Amino acid sequence: MDIDENDAAIPADETVMVAAFEGWNDAGSSASAALDHVAQTWGSTEHTTLDPEDYHDFQVARPSIAILPSGDRVVSWPGTIVSTTPGPPQAARVVLARGIEPSMRWRRFCAEVLDAAEELGVTTLVTCGALLLDVPHTRPLPTFVTSDDAVARAQYGLEASDYEGPTGIVGVLGHEAQLRGITVLSLWVGVPHYIAHPPSPKATVTLLGQLERLLGAPIDLGELPDEAEAWQRGADELTEDDEEIAAHVEQLESLMDETSLPEASGDAIAEEFEKFLRRRDGGGPKTP
């Protein structure tokens, strides 16, 4: 990806933690896949692993068994890993926090992640998430980048989020980080609700594009663009085979083309979160 020199990036002398968690905050596994890609591309090194016994209900997030080439069986437990990356030169140092949304003890969980962040000198936290939206797969997917920090908003040209209502672990982690004096940026991508099953490589590519702008560093996408094109073709075939979905996509295209969904509006995030919650839970907060 190309970096626009006019985009404000996090200063190179800072250390940035980028965090994403599977589960409620991660439609289409888009955010967790983005962090996995960064970890693989930049060669991450484990700093610490949180004990899953403290935070997970294993009937909700089950361990998995794999067979090694030696024939031995190993059990992989769900959890969260904080890792460091060398990253590219002349850019901010990057720390990754990647895991699964915990089932319990969220405040202790956040404290442990942020203790690791402070050990590594983190000054900025970028939380990444993905939510289901009424957007067409045929258009660029919308992104929302916000901050509650006035200095950060001025520096990066962002708005504050006006969202109120239920939140996931990234919302709690961001709140706790602010209390510690860490600058927090919240990054979200919208995933078409009618094709929400993972993976969602187009949404992952979109998130990585925003990350590289914030970090001021290019991210080699590898095979992701090809995967995104294949995903798009699959979505096209879905709409061709289903008249109801095709009509809905056409309606969404017209709406987006006419109104152009804002990319960094707190009001837009609040409205879309409410739609997402109503769709997910059959209820959710009502619009005031």
Side-chain angles (χ1 to χ4, degrees), residues 25-26 42-43 67 156 168-169 228:
N25 312 274
D26 194 22
W42 287 351
I67 301 177
Y156 305 115
I169 191 62

Side-chain angles (χ1 to χ4, degrees), residues 125-139:
L125 169 67
V126 180
T127 61
C128 299
L131 70 161
L132 303 180
L133 297 183
D134 286 324
V135 293
H137 71 278
T138 53
R139 299 291 188 268

